[in-house]
């Protein structure tokens, strides 16, 4: 058999084929004269491919005449057609575009597999009716089905003669083209920021939840593996901390040397290939982390954390996998896949008390760039970066935490699994330059950021070709798949792997510690002084008052700092504290205080307290008092856990003024003065007076304005959450109310100030609060207005 390669010859064949059937369609209306029948199309395809013809005697179709029979017989022989029934072919039936592309795709016998997600590119994808979606996706992957300029495929439209000419032109090109001698596909799957969400269970609400859990993600993992057998599965860190299960293995059923941590058991149940460290892996100290990692059955990598004394990498920086893969015709090949991990350098600030003097952390971008030549020198065909670093922006500052954008620009990086932001990519970050949402690339590099708590699975598909001895990535695409929140289907292997720890955690969190006379929630914690924070600050002050008796700090006034840890934002409309009136259990305390922090006290001046609050004031956008338009109060770039309320003083926020600091604590308006009327004991605060401010290790170890000026730092090595439980046990019954120690400087009464919180919050609006529900927005959130009272 010879192959036609000249478009001119092809057009002549197609034209002759159609003219041979013109007598059968002369009665057709002029508008339909360009439509093509099944018989015409099959004849054109068989002629174009120069398939050998016989007499057509083997056909069982009763409606095919002797002229057409040889072509239909040849088409059936090479698998192009199936017939409408076992005895009918319906040669004069008009052909849809969908059916035309299916027939064309069957002519290509390559075993190359294409994802059915290729069909998602078409705006009218819901109009595909075939039960052969995989075959139709092949037609897209092979370049046969390309669609129209408006992004549609119009699958149920009748195919025209001009369109058939183009289809067969593409078909002959694909059919006659020698396939690459060696080409393979590789699928990279990834999770990030699981935060001990393994079972589909909300420990704070003590109930099943299909919105979280690796058991849910595991369903997607098995599906993605079945679609593409050449695959690797990685985790991107923030694995061992987050829910009460993480704390349970630290303080209650303590992890013993030689014991497999439930987080690793969960990952092993799904046969992960590698992982990296997130910033929260360091929350429990290096010794505990070492105990966890000792039992890992797969490499957990980090390249930018160094031993402070030896100056050597403290962890294995990278691994090179000899990955056995099959090409499109089933032949085996070995890919050398290099995988490297990096973490945000901020760990030395956030966990300074645990890490200071023990480790140093290098810039993540520079680290990856440094190791690329070494990995290539050891034979790595491709390099995958596991970056527990946020996306970042177009500007790189050495040592910053969010640098995935810069890593994507490095020569030699072929794919990136990122996280830390708890965001989703492709999807978020559309305002950055050189972002391709459809292809899931950043600066041309496939990138995936799969949400948080198991909400999404990241999928990168790479097509590789070999030239000589070198495999290279010909193309790559990143995508994310969301778990089915309406289904109860889970991956039972994950459930079984963590069963003991899960059940122990549930029993633990149900232990009672006190009572509350009223419902507690954090729905309005960003716009009003809130009881959910007041309880925390009261408990911390109660704890430290006892500790400083008889010490040099006994006579210093005590202030206490707290923040709304669960206040929606990037974590979704269900991520709020909600505790019903009645018995308070450990699960409720964990709902109030989600992090495994320890109590710290800082000695600082009134001036330092002022700067601390100026940093908190960055939570709000600047309001134009003369505007009559709606103005959004909340700065969404500012993390709510940085909105510290300091109890023991009173103050106002003047949001008509610009913020002094940005969300990283950098000065942006030196002369700004948002914090007004700051008073202690009913009088303007003395900028030189010394105070003790109770906080946590995260804040005390950071570079927060005001905090960084503290002259002394006292580490009580006692969990904030445990201090709250002790306080509740001592008090017995709490009456949750806030002392309204902060508010906004009154605005123009005509100002239209709005903010977003959960749609559920409308049921908890108190009369006279100045808050009014306006309308739902998206994904469970709603818009509210705020009037000063």
């Amino acid at each position: 058999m010879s192959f036609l390669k000249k478009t001119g010859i092809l057009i002549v064949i197609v034209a002759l084929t159609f003219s041979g059937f013109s007598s059968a369609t002369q009665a057709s209306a002029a508008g339909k004269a360009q439509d093509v029948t099944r018989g015409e199309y099959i004849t054109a395809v068989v002629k174009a491919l120069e398939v050998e013809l016989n007499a057509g005697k083997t056909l069982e179709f009763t409606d095919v005449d002797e002229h057409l029979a040889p072509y239909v017989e040849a088409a059936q022989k090479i698998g192009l057609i199936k017939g409408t029934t076992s005895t009918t072919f319906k040669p004069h039936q008009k052909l849809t575009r969908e059916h035309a592309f299916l027939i064309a795709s069957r002519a290509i016998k390559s075993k190359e597999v294409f994802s059915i997600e290729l069909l998602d590119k078409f705006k009218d994808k819901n109009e595909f009716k075939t039960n052969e979606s995989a075959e139709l996706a092949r037609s897209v992957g092979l370049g046969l089905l390309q669609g129209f300029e408006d992004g549609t495929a119009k699958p149920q439209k009748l195919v025209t003669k001009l369109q058939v000419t183009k289809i067969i032109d593409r078909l002959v090109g694909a059919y006659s083209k020698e396939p690459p001698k060696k080409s393979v596909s590789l699928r990279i799957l990834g999770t990030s920021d699981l935060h001990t969400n393994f079972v589909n269970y909300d420990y704070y609400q003590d109930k099943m939840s299909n919105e979280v859990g690796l058991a849910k993600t595991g369903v997607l993992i098995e599906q993605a593996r079945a679609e593409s057998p050449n695959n690797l599965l990685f985790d991107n860190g923030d694995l061992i901390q987050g829910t009460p299960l993480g704390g349970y293995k630290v303080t209650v059923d303590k992890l013993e040397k030689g014991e497999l941590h439930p987080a690793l058991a969960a990952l092993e149940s799904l046969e992960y290939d590698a992982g990296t460290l997130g910033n929260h892996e360091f929350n429990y100290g290096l010794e505990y982390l070492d105990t966890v990692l000792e039992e890992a059955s797969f490499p957990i990598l980090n390249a930018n954390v160094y031993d402070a004394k030896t100056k050597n990498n403290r962890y294995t920086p990278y691994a090179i996998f000899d990955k056995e893969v099959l090409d499109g015709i089933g032949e085996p090949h070995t890919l050398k896949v290099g995988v490297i991990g990096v973490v945000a350098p901020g760990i030395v600030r956030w966990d300074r008390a645990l890490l200071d003097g023990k480790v140093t952390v290098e810039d993540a971008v520079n680290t990856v760039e440094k190791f690329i030549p070494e990995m290539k020198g050891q034979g790595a065909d491709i390099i995958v970066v596991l970056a527990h670093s946020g996306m970042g922006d177009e500007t790189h500052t050495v040592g910053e935490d969010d640098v995935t954008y810069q890593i994507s620009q490095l020569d030699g990086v072929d794919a990136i699994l990122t996280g830390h932001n708890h965001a989703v990519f492709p999807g978020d970050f559309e305002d950055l330059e050189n972002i391709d949402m459809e292809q899931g690339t950043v600066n041309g590099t496939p990138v995936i950021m799969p949400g948080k708590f198991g909400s999404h699975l990241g999928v990168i598909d790479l097509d590789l070709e070999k030239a000589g001895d070198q495999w290279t990535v010909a193309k790559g695409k990143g995508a994310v798949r969301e778990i089915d929140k309406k289904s109860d289907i889970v991956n039972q292997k994950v459930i079984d792997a963590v069963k003991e720890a899960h059940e122990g955690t549930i029993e633990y969190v149900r232990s009672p510690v006190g009572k509350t006379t009223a419902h507690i929630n954090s729905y309005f914690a960003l716009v009003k002084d809130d009881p959910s924070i007041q309880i925390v600050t009261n408990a911390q002050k109660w704890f430290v008052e006892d500790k400083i008796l008889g010490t040099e700090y006994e006579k210093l006034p005590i202030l206490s700092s707290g923040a709304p840890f669960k206040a929606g934002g990037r974590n979704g409309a269900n991520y709020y504290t909600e505790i019903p009136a009645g018995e308070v259990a450990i699960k409720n305390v964990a709902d109030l205080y989600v992090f495994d922090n320890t109590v710290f006290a800082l000695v600082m001046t009134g001036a330092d307290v002022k700067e601390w609050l100026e940093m908190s004031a960055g939570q709000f956008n600047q309001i134009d008092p003369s505007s009559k338009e709606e103005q959004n109060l909340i700065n969404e770039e500012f993390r709510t856990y940085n909105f510290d309320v300091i109890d023991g003083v009173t103050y106002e926020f003047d949001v008509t003024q610009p913020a002094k600091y940005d969300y990283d604590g950098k000065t942006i308006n030196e002369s700004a003065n948002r914090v007004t009327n700051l008073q202690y004991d009913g009088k303007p605060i003395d900028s030189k007076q010394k105070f003790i401010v109770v906080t946590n290790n995260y804040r005390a170890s950071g570079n927060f304005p005001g905090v960084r000026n503290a002259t002394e730092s006292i580490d009580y090595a006692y969990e904030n959450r445990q201090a709250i439980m002790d306080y509740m046990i001592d008090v017995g019954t709490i009456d949750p109310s806030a002392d309204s120690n902060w508010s906004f400087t009154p605005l123009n009464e005509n100002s239209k100030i709005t903010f977003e919180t959960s749609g559920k919050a409308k049921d908890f609006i108190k009369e006279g609060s100045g808050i009014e529900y306006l309308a739902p927005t998206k994904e469970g959130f709603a818009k509210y207005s705020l009037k000063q009272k």
Side-chain angles (χ1 to χ4, degrees), residues 371-388:
F371 278 104
I372 287 174
E374 185 174 323
M375 297 169 74
K376 290 290 188 181
Q378 294 191 23
D381 294 309
I382 65 171
I383 292 177
V384 180
V385 181
L386 310 182
H388 197 89

Side-chain angles (χ1 to χ4, degrees), residues 337-463:
V337 182
V339 184
I340 184 172
V342 286
V343 71
I347 62 170
V348 292
R349 304 190 307 274
W350 304 324
D351 282 308
R352 185 175 67 187
L354 298 170
L355 304 181
D356 192 34
K358 299 177 181 178
V359 297
T360 59
V361 187
E362 297 298 319
D363 180 78
V365 183
N366 294 344
T367 297
V368 174
E369 188 173 30
K370 164 189 166 183
F371 278 104
I372 287 174
E374 185 174 323
M375 297 169 74
K376 290 290 188 181
Q378 294 191 23
D381 294 309
I382 65 171
I383 292 177
V384 180
V385 181
L386 310 182
H388 197 89
S389 161
M391 184 65 76
D393 54 29
E394 295 87 350
T395 304
H396 178 216
T397 302
V398 173
E400 67 178 313
D401 299 315
D402 297 344
V403 291
T404 295
Y405 190 90
Q406 280 69 41
I407 294 174
S408 73
Q409 294 175 316
L410 296 176
D411 289 337
V413 172
D414 298 294
I416 303 172
L417 167 60
T418 186
H420 187 59
N421 289 150
H422 289 202
V424 176
F425 185 85
D428 297 319
F429 310 107
E430 62 184 358
D431 294 335
L432 290 175
E433 294 180 1
N434 299 322
I435 295 287
D436 188 331
M437 287 297 180
E438 183 176 342
Q439 293 300 312
T441 61
V442 181
N443 295 306
T445 303
V447 174
I448 47 176
M449 183 183 288
K452 81 285 182 185
F453 311 156
S455 63
H456 294 74
L457 174 68
V459 181
I460 291 177
D461 285 309
L462 300 177
D463 292 336

